[in-house]
Amino acid sequence: FVGRQVTLAELGLAGVAAPEKEARRVAGVQLNCPQCGGPLDLRAPDQSLRVTCPNCGSLLDVSEGRLEFMQALQPGWATPIIPIGSIGEFEGAKQMLIGFTVRSVEYEGVRYFWEEYLLYNPQIGFRWLVRSDDNWNYVQAVPPGDVSHRTGAFGGKGDSVQYQGERYKLYQDAVARVEYVVGEFYWKVIAGEMTRAADYVHPPRMLSMEVSLNEAPAPEEAEQPKKKRKAARSAPTGEINWSLGTFLKREEVEKAFGISGLPHTSKIAPNQQFPHKKVYRYWGLMLAATFVIGIAIMVTGPRTKVFEQTFALQPVANSEGTQTIFSEPFQLKGNKNIKVTARSSVDNTWLYVEGDLINDATGDVQTFSLPVEYYHGVDDGESWSEGSQSPSIHLSALPAGQYMLRLEAQWERWQQPAAISVRIEQGVPRVLHLFLAMLFVSIVPVLVALSHFSFERRRWSESDYSPFGS
């Protein structure tokens, strides 16, 4: 295609593209396309280097003080879901949507697409909205010097970069291609332009690094964009550029533009944050509070001794012999647990007790057993010991009433007399209760953690650098 060149001087706009150190507002102007003669608007005439004609689809160069035909594009190949010229409010400032591009990457023979919307405000400059799988990111440039990353090939092949004290993990490294452009742009964009891009994520943010490659021929016509593999933004030719994207909910984009009906998505964006992460902080606070309260109750909690007695055991006839003892009656309160402790001065030997708590009124029996054994010695110069001279057992609460203790004892040194002391307490705090309480407050957070794990697997599912494997 050969087109007529129309200088800005002929249109009374000489010097419009001259750079300035301070941002100023230049009113949008209307020009005529040198290719078809149709009207076209420049919304940022002091900044734009490329503009497309909405009538014939021609890509025009606005640099060098003139309009020059660059490339023919197919009008309507892709339609921005938010129209060019729309006004949205971000960062507390109204920004106009002035440009729209479709970009793609190829993966295993399949081409994936995403959309990028260029926003402009003369006071804050240019920003981007990136739509990928109906997920949105608000993107702005960041100084390259603020990002530290591993040296090496482009993209670093390092697994992370640092920005403002945060670590960003490598998500994708690929070659992206510009498929389609509409509107105006502050760099010399052209369909078929190739860039090498690497994305690093730290939800809800994404750092993208890009460098332009040699320009490729204009691509053949492609089908309507439907899917993407990366989220990145175009960069000026010959420079390495960094940009920072922040994940936006669909509702936030609708509110910014005062619109509704943007498509929903079930796909998780690479930098989408798990929505229930706050539960972990509350979980930690609840666990700490439960632990402190539990320890305080165990140390200071009320416990009542209801029975204590020492029983003398006489020698028995043989090693299989036992001795049975009955205690005096004592009272047990209802709805309070029971702790039975037996103590005997066994030394490298054992004494075994079978016990019953018998309700005088009903005859109901609660059985328990307590092995009292203690062994110690020296083995290869090291001392060792096992067992206990005062084991205990916890029993569930029994109905209130008068009870009797029945003991049947058997001991290893049956030819010699022995002695055993038994103490019964009620309302004794247990470590088990503390554990159960901490387990109870953990039920919901654990379910959330399982959901979080599934969320993270899905979030990394389209990355070649997934921590969950291929």
Side-chain angles (χ1 to χ4, degrees), residues 96-165:
M96 179 180 287
L97 197 160
I98 66 171
F100 168 75
T101 67
V102 176
R103 304 178 68 199
S104 71
V105 296
E106 185 175 339
Y107 183 76
E108 295 182 348
V110 180
R111 189 155 291 276
Y112 300 92
F113 300 86
W114 70 95
E115 301 172 353
E116 301 183 352
Y117 297 79
L118 178 60
L119 304 173
Y120 177 64
N121 176 290
Q123 276 70 50
I124 67 174
F126 295 97
R127 298 291 188 267
W128 285 89
L129 277 179
V130 176
R131 177 194 175 210
S132 176
D133 287 332
D134 291 321
N135 284 305
W136 295 87
N137 273 276
Y138 179 71
V139 182
Q140 58 184 316
V142 298
D146 291 352
V147 182
S148 61
H149 60 98
R150 298 181 181 181
T151 59
F154 176 79
K157 287 302 181 184
D159 59 2
S160 65
V161 296
Q162 294 283 335
Y163 176 70
Q164 294 186 343

Side-chain angles (χ1 to χ4, degrees), residues 21-225:
K21 293 183 179 179
E22 296 184 0
R24 62 183 178 89
R25 184 173 184 82
V26 178
V29 298
Q30 188 176 78
L31 307 176
N32 292 323
C33 172
Q35 191 68 7
C36 70
L40 59 90
D41 293 324
L42 278 182
R43 296 176 174 86
D46 57 336
Q47 299 285 339
S48 297
L49 299 180
R50 289 282 196 272
V51 64
T52 59
C53 175
N55 306 292
C56 66
S58 298
L59 179 64
L60 308 174
D61 183 82
V62 197
S63 62
E64 306 298 333
R66 62 176 180 261
L67 286 174
E68 181 179 356
F69 174 80
M70 293 293 299
Q71 192 177 35
L73 302 174
Q74 179 186 356
W77 181 82
T79 302
I81 196 171
I82 303 175
I84 301 293
S86 299
I87 303 294
E89 186 170 343
F90 300 91
E91 301 182 67
K94 294 190 179 298
Q95 303 181 43
M96 179 180 287
L97 197 160
I98 66 171
F100 168 75
T101 67
V102 176
R103 304 178 68 199
S104 71
V105 296
E106 185 175 339
Y107 183 76
E108 295 182 348
V110 180
R111 189 155 291 276
Y112 300 92
F113 300 86
W114 70 95
E115 301 172 353
E116 301 183 352
Y117 297 79
L118 178 60
L119 304 173
Y120 177 64
N121 176 290
Q123 276 70 50
I124 67 174
F126 295 97
R127 298 291 188 267
W128 285 89
L129 277 179
V130 176
R131 177 194 175 210
S132 176
D133 287 332
D134 291 321
N135 284 305
W136 295 87
N137 273 276
Y138 179 71
V139 182
Q140 58 184 316
V142 298
D146 291 352
V147 182
S148 61
H149 60 98
R150 298 181 181 181
T151 59
F154 176 79
K157 287 302 181 184
D159 59 2
S160 65
V161 296
Q162 294 283 335
Y163 176 70
Q164 294 186 343
E166 293 180 332
R167 178 173 174 258
Y168 289 70
K169 297 179 181 179
L170 180 62
Y171 189 90
Q172 199 64 272
D173 184 358
V175 175
R177 185 174 75 187
V178 176
E179 300 286 355
Y180 187 70
V181 294
V182 173
E184 53 192 284
F185 304 89
Y186 64 91
W187 79 100
K188 297 181 179 181
V189 64
I190 188 170
E193 180 182 50
M194 310 289 284
T195 57
R196 183 78 180 277
D199 291 337
Y200 298 82
V201 294
H202 180 91
R205 292 171 289 279
M206 173 188 290
L207 275 174
S208 296
M209 182 171 70
E210 290 197 17
V211 62
S212 292
L213 305 176
N214 293 331
E215 290 187 354
E220 298 178 356
E221 294 183 5
E223 60 180 322
Q224 182 69 20

Side-chain angles (χ1 to χ4, degrees), residues 304-450:
T304 304
K305 182 175 71 173
V306 297
F307 175 85
E308 186 170 23
Q309 186 175 344
T310 299
F311 301 95
L313 303 175
Q314 302 302 318
V316 293
N318 53 62
S319 61
E320 301 296 326
T322 62
Q323 186 170 343
T324 303
I325 307 170
F326 290 89
S327 73
E328 294 295 324
F330 55 89
Q331 292 290 326
L332 288 179
K333 295 181 179 180
N335 301 317
K336 288 190 175 183
N337 70 338
I338 302 167
K339 180 181 180 181
V340 181
T341 303
R343 179 175 179 80
S344 180
S345 56
V346 294
D347 188 9
N348 283 325
T349 186
W350 57 265
L351 186 153
Y352 184 78
V353 174
E354 287 280 355
D356 297 313
L357 288 171
I358 306 172
N359 189 309
D360 281 352
T362 65
D364 292 338
V365 177
Q366 173 66 59
T367 301
F368 64 89
S369 59
L370 275 174
V372 186
E373 54 185 354
Y374 178 68
Y375 296 91
H376 61 93
V378 178
D379 190 6
D380 293 331
E382 294 186 4
S383 298
W384 60 271
S385 64
E386 62 181 15
S388 172
Q389 292 179 327
S390 57
S392 60
I393 186 172
H394 288 82
L395 306 176
S396 299
L398 295 173
Q402 180 171 281
Y403 286 78
M404 180 183 295
L405 176 65
R406 174 184 178 277
L407 296 177
E408 184 176 0
Q410 184 180 23
W411 60 103
E412 183 180 25
R413 298 171 183 173
W414 52 273
Q415 307 96 333
Q416 303 174 10
I420 184 170
S421 298
V422 178
R423 183 174 70 249
I424 300 177
E425 301 168 283
Q426 282 197 284
V428 180
R430 298 184 60 186
V431 175
L432 176 61
H433 296 157
L434 175 59
F435 172 77
L436 292 176
M438 296 179 72
L439 182 63
F440 177 77
V441 302
S442 300
I443 292 175
V444 172
V446 167
L447 294 177
V448 172
L450 294 175

